[in-house]
PDB file of all heavy atoms in Angstrom:
ATOM      1  N   ILE A   4     -71.953 118.877 189.228  1.00 97.00           N
ATOM      2  CA  ILE A   4     -70.924 119.787 188.765  1.00 97.00           C
ATOM      3  C   ILE A   4     -71.382 121.212 189.076  1.00 97.00           C
ATOM      4  O   ILE A   4     -72.416 121.666 188.600  1.00 97.00           O
ATOM      5  CB  ILE A   4     -70.708 119.626 187.228  1.00 97.00           C
ATOM      6  CG1 ILE A   4     -70.304 118.192 186.916  1.00 97.00           C
ATOM      7  CG2 ILE A   4     -69.646 120.627 186.742  1.00 97.00           C
ATOM      8  CD1 ILE A   4     -70.217 117.892 185.412  1.00 97.00           C
ATOM      9  N   GLY A  10     -66.796 128.111 185.095  1.00 79.00           N
ATOM     10  CA  GLY A  10     -66.182 126.799 184.839  1.00 79.00           C
ATOM     11  C   GLY A  10     -66.453 126.372 183.405  1.00 79.00           C
ATOM     12  O   GLY A  10     -67.412 126.819 182.794  1.00 79.00           O
ATOM     13  N   ASN A  11     -65.617 125.505 182.916  1.00 84.00           N
ATOM     14  CA  ASN A  11     -65.870 124.894 181.604  1.00 84.00           C
ATOM     15  C   ASN A  11     -66.780 123.702 181.818  1.00 84.00           C
ATOM     16  O   ASN A  11     -66.386 122.551 181.715  1.00 84.00           O
ATOM     17  CB  ASN A  11     -64.564 124.528 180.906  1.00 84.00           C
ATOM     18  CG  ASN A  11     -63.629 123.742 181.794  1.00 84.00           C
ATOM     19  OD1 ASN A  11     -63.694 123.835 183.010  1.00 84.00           O
ATOM     20  ND2 ASN A  11     -62.765 122.950 181.192  1.00 84.00           N
ATOM     21  N   LEU A  12     -68.030 124.011 182.156  1.00 92.00           N
ATOM     22  CA  LEU A  12     -68.986 123.027 182.661  1.00 92.00           C
ATOM     23  C   LEU A  12     -69.306 121.949 181.636  1.00 92.00           C
ATOM     24  O   LEU A  12     -69.363 120.753 181.977  1.00 92.00           O
ATOM     25  CB  LEU A  12     -70.279 123.712 183.083  1.00 92.00           C
ATOM     26  CG  LEU A  12     -70.133 124.855 184.102  1.00 92.00           C
ATOM     27  CD1 LEU A  12     -71.441 125.579 184.286  1.00 92.00           C
ATOM     28  CD2 LEU A  12     -69.626 124.302 185.428  1.00 92.00           C
ATOM     29  N   ARG A  13     -69.532 122.345 180.409  1.00 93.00           N
ATOM     30  CA  ARG A  13     -69.980 121.388 179.397  1.00 93.00           C
ATOM     31  C   ARG A  13     -68.887 120.332 179.113  1.00 93.00           C
ATOM     32  O   ARG A  13     -69.189 119.147 178.984  1.00 93.00           O
ATOM     33  CB  ARG A  13     -70.347 122.103 178.096  1.00 93.00           C
ATOM     34  CG  ARG A  13     -71.396 123.170 178.262  1.00 93.00           C
ATOM     35  CD  ARG A  13     -72.810 122.614 178.425  1.00 93.00           C
ATOM     36  NE  ARG A  13     -73.754 123.681 178.743  1.00 93.00           N
ATOM     37  CZ  ARG A  13     -74.470 123.749 179.851  1.00 93.00           C
ATOM     38  NH1 ARG A  13     -74.355 122.848 180.779  1.00 93.00           N
ATOM     39  NH2 ARG A  13     -75.310 124.754 180.060  1.00 93.00           N
ATOM     40  N   SER A  14     -67.652 120.776 179.002  1.00 94.00           N
ATOM     41  CA  SER A  14     -66.563 119.807 178.688  1.00 94.00           C
ATOM     42  C   SER A  14     -66.342 118.851 179.879  1.00 94.00           C
ATOM     43  O   SER A  14     -66.069 117.669 179.665  1.00 94.00           O
ATOM     44  CB  SER A  14     -65.268 120.522 178.307  1.00 94.00           C
ATOM     45  OG  SER A  14     -64.862 121.392 179.330  1.00 94.00           O
ATOM     46  N   VAL A  15     -66.521 119.341 181.094  1.00 96.00           N
ATOM     47  CA  VAL A  15     -66.403 118.449 182.264  1.00 96.00           C
ATOM     48  C   VAL A  15     -67.555 117.462 182.262  1.00 96.00           C
ATOM     49  O   VAL A  15     -67.376 116.256 182.465  1.00 96.00           O
ATOM     50  CB  VAL A  15     -66.386 119.276 183.583  1.00 96.00           C
ATOM     51  CG1 VAL A  15     -66.472 118.334 184.791  1.00 96.00           C
ATOM     52  CG2 VAL A  15     -65.136 120.128 183.679  1.00 96.00           C
ATOM     53  N   ALA A  16     -68.766 117.957 182.003  1.00 96.00           N
ATOM     54  CA  ALA A  16     -69.960 117.076 181.987  1.00 96.00           C
ATOM     55  C   ALA A  16     -69.827 116.005 180.869  1.00 96.00           C
ATOM     56  O   ALA A  16     -70.169 114.832 181.080  1.00 96.00           O
ATOM     57  CB  ALA A  16     -71.236 117.888 181.781  1.00 96.00           C
ATOM     58  N   ARG A  17     -69.330 116.420 179.710  1.00 96.00           N
ATOM     59  CA  ARG A  17     -69.138 115.468 178.604  1.00 96.00           C
ATOM     60  C   ARG A  17     -68.131 114.382 178.974  1.00 96.00           C
ATOM     61  O   ARG A  17     -68.324 113.202 178.675  1.00 96.00           O
ATOM     62  CB  ARG A  17     -68.690 116.195 177.345  1.00 96.00           C
ATOM     63  CG  ARG A  17     -69.817 116.861 176.587  1.00 96.00           C
ATOM     64  CD  ARG A  17     -69.389 117.252 175.173  1.00 96.00           C
ATOM     65  NE  ARG A  17     -68.279 118.187 175.180  1.00 96.00           N
ATOM     66  CZ  ARG A  17     -68.395 119.500 175.188  1.00 96.00           C
ATOM     67  NH1 ARG A  17     -69.604 120.062 175.252  1.00 96.00           N
ATOM     68  NH2 ARG A  17     -67.335 120.266 175.166  1.00 96.00           N
ATOM     69  N   ALA A  18     -67.056 114.788 179.651  1.00 97.00           N
ATOM     70  CA  ALA A  18     -66.021 113.824 180.056  1.00 97.00           C
ATOM     71  C   ALA A  18     -66.596 112.805 181.053  1.00 97.00           C
ATOM     72  O   ALA A  18     -66.345 111.598 180.933  1.00 97.00           O
ATOM     73  CB  ALA A  18     -64.787 114.541 180.645  1.00 97.00           C
ATOM     74  N   VAL A  19     -67.361 113.295 182.028  1.00 97.00           N
ATOM     75  CA  VAL A  19     -67.969 112.414 183.015  1.00 97.00           C
ATOM     76  C   VAL A  19     -68.945 111.450 182.330  1.00 97.00           C
ATOM     77  O   VAL A  19     -68.961 110.239 182.602  1.00 97.00           O
ATOM     78  CB  VAL A  19     -68.669 113.220 184.132  1.00 97.00           C
ATOM     79  CG1 VAL A  19     -69.486 112.313 185.038  1.00 97.00           C
ATOM     80  CG2 VAL A  19     -67.650 114.007 184.942  1.00 97.00           C
ATOM     81  N   ALA A  20     -69.775 111.974 181.433  1.00 96.00           N
ATOM     82  CA  ALA A  20     -70.750 111.123 180.749  1.00 96.00           C
ATOM     83  C   ALA A  20     -70.038 110.097 179.866  1.00 96.00           C
ATOM     84  O   ALA A  20     -70.493 108.953 179.774  1.00 96.00           O
ATOM     85  CB  ALA A  20     -71.653 111.992 179.879  1.00 96.00           C
ATOM     86  N   ALA A  26     -73.802 112.945 185.279  1.00 95.00           N
ATOM     87  CA  ALA A  26     -73.420 114.287 185.696  1.00 95.00           C
ATOM     88  C   ALA A  26     -74.606 115.233 185.605  1.00 95.00           C
ATOM     89  O   ALA A  26     -75.371 115.176 184.651  1.00 95.00           O
ATOM     90  CB  ALA A  26     -72.279 114.803 184.837  1.00 95.00           C
ATOM     91  N   ILE A  42     -68.090 117.893 191.752  1.00 97.00           N
ATOM     92  CA  ILE A  42     -66.951 118.410 190.974  1.00 97.00           C
ATOM     93  C   ILE A  42     -67.005 119.923 191.036  1.00 97.00           C
ATOM     94  O   ILE A  42     -68.043 120.551 190.795  1.00 97.00           O
ATOM     95  CB  ILE A  42     -66.992 117.930 189.520  1.00 97.00           C
ATOM     96  CG1 ILE A  42     -66.851 116.401 189.458  1.00 97.00           C
ATOM     97  CG2 ILE A  42     -65.860 118.586 188.707  1.00 97.00           C
ATOM     98  CD1 ILE A  42     -66.936 115.823 188.038  1.00 97.00           C
ATOM     99  N   PRO A  44     -65.377 122.744 189.102  1.00 94.00           N
ATOM    100  CA  PRO A  44     -64.539 123.194 187.996  1.00 94.00           C
ATOM    101  C   PRO A  44     -64.123 124.646 188.231  1.00 94.00           C
ATOM    102  O   PRO A  44     -64.552 125.274 189.185  1.00 94.00           O
ATOM    103  CB  PRO A  44     -65.468 123.063 186.788  1.00 94.00           C
ATOM    104  CG  PRO A  44     -66.835 123.319 187.374  1.00 94.00           C
ATOM    105  CD  PRO A  44     -66.813 122.812 188.787  1.00 94.00           C
ATOM    106  N   GLY A  45     -63.313 125.170 187.352  1.00 88.00           N
ATOM    107  CA  GLY A  45     -62.938 126.579 187.527  1.00 88.00           C
ATOM    108  C   GLY A  45     -62.056 127.116 186.443  1.00 88.00           C
ATOM    109  O   GLY A  45     -61.044 126.495 186.098  1.00 88.00           O
ATOM    110  N   LEU A  76     -63.977 116.412 193.532  1.00 97.00           N
ATOM    111  CA  LEU A  76     -62.889 116.644 192.574  1.00 97.00           C
ATOM    112  C   LEU A  76     -62.840 118.125 192.252  1.00 97.00           C
ATOM    113  O   LEU A  76     -63.832 118.721 191.781  1.00 97.00           O
ATOM    114  CB  LEU A  76     -63.146 115.842 191.290  1.00 97.00           C
ATOM    115  CG  LEU A  76     -62.137 116.052 190.142  1.00 97.00           C
ATOM    116  CD1 LEU A  76     -60.744 115.554 190.570  1.00 97.00           C
ATOM    117  CD2 LEU A  76     -62.594 115.319 188.901  1.00 97.00           C
ATOM    118  N   VAL A  78     -60.933 121.105 189.958  1.00 97.00           N
ATOM    119  CA  VAL A  78     -60.180 121.210 188.720  1.00 97.00           C
ATOM    120  C   VAL A  78     -59.703 122.654 188.505  1.00 97.00           C
ATOM    121  O   VAL A  78     -60.508 123.579 188.505  1.00 97.00           O
ATOM    122  CB  VAL A  78     -61.050 120.776 187.525  1.00 97.00           C
ATOM    123  CG1 VAL A  78     -60.287 120.952 186.211  1.00 97.00           C
ATOM    124  CG2 VAL A  78     -61.487 119.321 187.670  1.00 97.00           C
ATOM    125  N   HIS A 178     -56.167 120.275 183.581  1.00 97.00           N
ATOM    126  CA  HIS A 178     -57.554 120.025 183.162  1.00 97.00           C
ATOM    127  C   HIS A 178     -57.634 118.589 182.649  1.00 97.00           C
ATOM    128  O   HIS A 178     -57.280 118.322 181.488  1.00 97.00           O
ATOM    129  CB  HIS A 178     -57.966 120.983 182.033  1.00 97.00           C
ATOM    130  CG  HIS A 178     -58.244 122.368 182.517  1.00 97.00           C
ATOM    131  ND1 HIS A 178     -59.472 122.767 182.984  1.00 97.00           N
ATOM    132  CD2 HIS A 178     -57.449 123.451 182.577  1.00 97.00           C
ATOM    133  CE1 HIS A 178     -59.409 124.047 183.316  1.00 97.00           C
ATOM    134  NE2 HIS A 178     -58.190 124.484 183.082  1.00 97.00           N
ATOM    135  N   GLU A 180     -60.223 117.036 181.598  1.00 96.00           N
ATOM    136  CA  GLU A 180     -61.143 116.995 180.457  1.00 96.00           C
ATOM    137  C   GLU A 180     -60.506 117.464 179.149  1.00 96.00           C
ATOM    138  O   GLU A 180     -61.063 117.274 178.062  1.00 96.00           O
ATOM    139  CB  GLU A 180     -62.421 117.792 180.740  1.00 96.00           C
ATOM    140  CG  GLU A 180     -62.250 119.296 180.807  1.00 96.00           C
ATOM    141  CD  GLU A 180     -61.679 119.772 182.138  1.00 96.00           C
ATOM    142  OE1 GLU A 180     -61.454 118.941 183.051  1.00 96.00           O
ATOM    143  OE2 GLU A 180     -61.416 120.980 182.255  1.00 96.00           O
ATOM    144  N   TYR A 190     -61.078 110.685 185.234  1.00 97.00           N
ATOM    145  CA  TYR A 190     -62.520 110.876 185.462  1.00 97.00           C
ATOM    146  C   TYR A 190     -63.224 109.526 185.686  1.00 97.00           C
ATOM    147  O   TYR A 190     -64.130 109.424 186.486  1.00 97.00           O
ATOM    148  CB  TYR A 190     -63.146 111.604 184.269  1.00 97.00           C
ATOM    149  CG  TYR A 190     -63.088 113.112 184.384  1.00 97.00           C
ATOM    150  CD1 TYR A 190     -62.383 113.872 183.454  1.00 97.00           C
ATOM    151  CD2 TYR A 190     -63.731 113.773 185.434  1.00 97.00           C
ATOM    152  CE1 TYR A 190     -62.327 115.261 183.572  1.00 97.00           C
ATOM    153  CE2 TYR A 190     -63.670 115.148 185.560  1.00 97.00           C
ATOM    154  CZ  TYR A 190     -62.970 115.874 184.615  1.00 97.00           C
ATOM    155  OH  TYR A 190     -62.909 117.242 184.737  1.00 97.00           O
TER     156      TYR A 190
END
Side-chain angles (χ1 to χ4, degrees):
I4 301 173
N11 50 335
L12 305 172
R13 304 284 174 241
S14 57
V15 172
R17 281 194 299 271
V19 171
I42 297 177
L76 177 64
V78 176
H178 285 274
E180 69 282 356
Y190 274 118

